[in-house]
Structures are given as structure tokens and as C-alpha cells.
């Protein structure tokens, strides 16, 4: 196992089974983000995206918070810095990452932390965790997608309540709205995220990557356009398959159908 020293504020751990864990490691400040941390987070996802040994990425926060947002003592440095550079933008790099990203939300995800959670593909949250949008409270304009994504994920009326009134969205309520996949005990968050990662890794890596891409790309379009890209990519996929690959697929399906179905998550 490769690891980084505990004094690093963004810690990346690669494991032999194909899971990589990215940890925001500034627990005394509730994992608030400085400009260098944002750059390191972006670089971490860019590197993991290219690493063929990594199949699923888990993003978590050390201590009792996931991420309490931007460190506002350095607000000008963050908001007037090179925030338009996609190379150093963690949310852009997460969105460009072809591999599934599971957010392990162990506590508060506030403002920029909320936006980072929105950039994950699936979320496992601790009981009592919450998502809070304080942009309106502090006079900060959202720039990592919160104003657009949240309404699409939980509906516009609830999103307006969360953002305009700065009302916390509990993990339990987020699960009911379909934003959070699982709510578990605090000490089970990483285990559940790993279990979910393990279920993903049992499947065809090529198809997992293609499937994530077609879901995420299609979600940005209307249904007619989304169905069109599914059909287009489907034809492209099957056109590229050899007779041997079709035969292997049929043999695999025949073997699977003769076995009992595996237990669900």
C-alpha cells in the first residue's frame, strides 16, 4: 500500500484491490480548504484518473467533518485567484474523472464542501451528517455548480430552501430525496463506501466507465438528446466488438444464469 505522510492536507492512498482513497486531512479546521489544498485535490483526481491500477475512488474527510468549505481567512486568494484554470479546479477534475467517485460524508459538508459532494457519483453519509449552503449568508457567489446541480438532484423548491434560506439538508432527508445513497452509523461510513466500491469492481471495468460517462453526460441534456447519445455510443460499442468478444459475452451470461443470484448490498 502506498500512502502519504499524515502532515499532508490532501492524502491519497492507493490499495492493491483497485480502490484509491482521497482524504481531506485538516481536521482541526474541519477540513476547510486553502488555495494550495484545492490545487492538490485537483492534482490528486487528475493523477488517479490516469492511473490504470485505480478502479474506484473514495473521497472522505478526516475527523468529524467532511469539508467545511473554503478557508475564508484566505477568501480573496481563493476567489480572485486562478479559479478559472481547470487544471487546478478540483470540481472540474472530479467531473472529468472517468472512474466512479464515492463520497464518504462523515459530518458537515458546507458550501464548497457541499459542491465537492455534488461532484461525487454516489454518497454514503453518517447519521447526523448534513449539507449546508452558506453562499447567500456570506455573500459568496457559487462557482462549483451548487446553483445548478442541487435543483436537478433534489427539485427546485427544496433547493431554493437549502440555498436561499441556508437551511441544512440532513443526510436522512437527502437519502429520502435520492441525493444520498446510504445513511449509516458514523463508524460504518468508510466500510459502506468500500462495500459499494467492491460491488462496482465485480463488473466489467470498461462498461462501468462507459456507463458512468453516458449517465453523467446524458443527465446534462434533455431526455431526447440523452437517448440519442446512448444509442450512438451503444452502436459504437457493439461495432467495435469482435465475434470472439460476443462469444465470450454469451459464455459469461450462460455461466452466470446457471448460478444463484448474489445477495444485494
Amino acid at each position: 500500500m502506498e500512502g502519504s505522510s499524515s502532515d499532508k492536507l490532501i492524502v491519497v492512498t492507493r490499495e492493491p484491490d483497485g480502490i484509491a482513497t482521497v482524504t481531506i486531512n485538516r481536521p482541526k479546521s474541519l477540513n476547510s480548504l486553502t488555495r494550495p489544498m484545492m490545487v492538490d485535490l485537483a492534482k490528486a483526481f487528475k493523477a488517479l484518473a490516469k492511473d490504470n491500477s485505480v478502479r474506484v475512488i473514495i473521497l472522505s474527510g478526516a475527523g468529524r467533518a467532511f469539508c467545511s468549505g473554503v478557508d475564508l481567512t484566505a477568501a480573496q486568494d481563493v476567489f480572485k485567484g486562478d479559479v478559472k484554470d481547470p487544471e487546478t479546479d478540483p470540481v472540474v477534475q472530479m467531473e472529468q474523472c472517468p472512474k466512479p467517485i464515492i463520497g464518504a460524508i462523515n459530518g458537515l459538508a458546507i458550501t464548497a464542501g457541499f459542491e465537492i459532494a455534488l461532484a461525487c457519483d454516489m454518497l454514503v453519509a453518517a447519521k447526523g451528517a448534513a449539507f449546508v449552503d452558506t453562499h447567500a449568508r456570506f455573500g459568496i457567489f457559487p462557482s462549483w455548480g451548487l446553483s445548478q446541480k442541487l435543483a436537478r438532484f433534489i427539485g427546485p423548491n427544496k433547493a431554493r430552501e437549502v440555498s436561499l434560506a441556508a437551511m441544512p439538508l440532513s443526510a436522512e432527508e437527502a437519502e429520502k430525496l435520492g441525493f444520498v445513497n446510504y445513511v449509516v452509523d458514523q463508524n460504518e461510513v468508510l466500510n459502506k463506501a468500500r462495500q459499494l466500491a467492491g460491488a462496482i469492481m465485480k463488473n466489467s471495468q470498461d462498461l462501468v466507465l462507459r456507463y458512468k460517462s453516458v449517465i453523467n453526460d446524458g443527465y446534462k441534456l434533455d431526455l431526447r438528446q440523452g437517448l440519442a447519445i446512448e444509442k450512438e455510443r451503444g452502436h459504437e460499442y457493439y461495432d467495435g466488438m469482435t465475434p470472439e468478444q460476443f462469444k465470450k459475452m454469451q459464455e459469461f451470461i450462460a455461466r452466470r444464469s446457471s448460478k444463484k443470484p448474489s445477495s444485494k448490498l
Side-chain angles (χ1 to χ4, degrees), residues 40-259:
D40 286 349
L41 194 56
K43 286 179 178 174
F45 276 100
K46 187 171 184 180
L48 292 171
K50 294 177 180 175
D51 188 334
N52 292 332
S53 72
V54 173
R55 294 188 58 183
V56 180
I57 302 163
I58 296 172
L59 175 62
S60 69
R64 58 195 179 90
F66 173 69
C67 173
S68 62
V70 169
D71 184 338
L72 293 178
T73 61
Q76 186 165 334
D77 178 41
V78 170
F79 298 124
K80 291 203 171 184
D82 56 333
V83 288
K84 292 180 182 175
D85 180 3
E87 295 294 307
T88 57
D89 185 323
V91 169
V92 169
Q93 291 305 320
M94 288 173 75
E95 288 173 346
Q96 290 180 355
C97 180
K99 293 156 189 185
I101 302 169
I102 302 171
I105 313 297
N106 50 310
L108 290 172
I110 303 174
T111 315
F114 196 162
E115 292 180 295
I116 288 168
L118 282 163
C120 296
D121 297 300
M122 287 159 250
L123 295 175
V124 176
K127 290 174 183 173
F131 302 87
V132 189
D133 180 7
T134 62
H135 281 105
R137 185 177 295 162
F138 293 117
I140 300 166
F141 200 90
S143 59
W144 277 355
L146 219 164
S147 69
Q148 301 304 303
K149 290 181 185 175
L150 190 61
R152 287 164 171 79
F153 291 173
I154 69 170
N157 284 19
K158 193 67 188 175
R160 284 189 279 260
E161 177 191 333
V162 168
S163 297
L164 305 187
M167 295 285 282
L169 177 67
S170 72
E172 291 77 6
E173 194 171 9
E175 184 187 29
K176 286 177 189 168
L177 292 166
F179 173 48
V180 164
N181 298 73
Y182 296 96
V183 177
V184 297
D185 289 335
Q186 176 87 37
N187 59 357
E188 284 298 312
V189 173
L190 276 173
N191 287 341
K192 190 66 182 177
R194 287 174 182 281
Q195 188 185 359
L196 193 50
I200 292 167
M201 291 192 297
K202 285 178 183 171
N203 297 320
S204 157
Q205 185 178 16
D206 177 45
L207 218 293
V208 164
L209 298 180
R210 289 173 185 267
Y211 217 142
K212 165 176 164 162
S213 174
V214 77
I215 291 172
N216 289 9
D217 291 348
Y219 197 73
K220 296 170 187 170
L221 309 170
D222 67 28
L223 181 58
R224 181 180 54 81
Q225 293 170 307
L227 290 170
I229 68 161
E230 182 197 67
K231 198 159 288 287
E232 180 187 325
R233 293 184 194 183
H235 284 307
E236 181 188 301
Y237 177 69
Y238 290 119
D239 284 348
M241 284 181 71
T242 63
E244 291 76 22
Q245 286 173 313
F246 274 109
K247 189 178 175 186
K248 278 184 183 175
M249 181 193 287
Q250 289 162 333
E251 288 170 353
F252 179 75
I253 292 167
R255 283 198 307 274
R256 286 295 290 256
S257 60
S258 67
K259 295 177 183 176

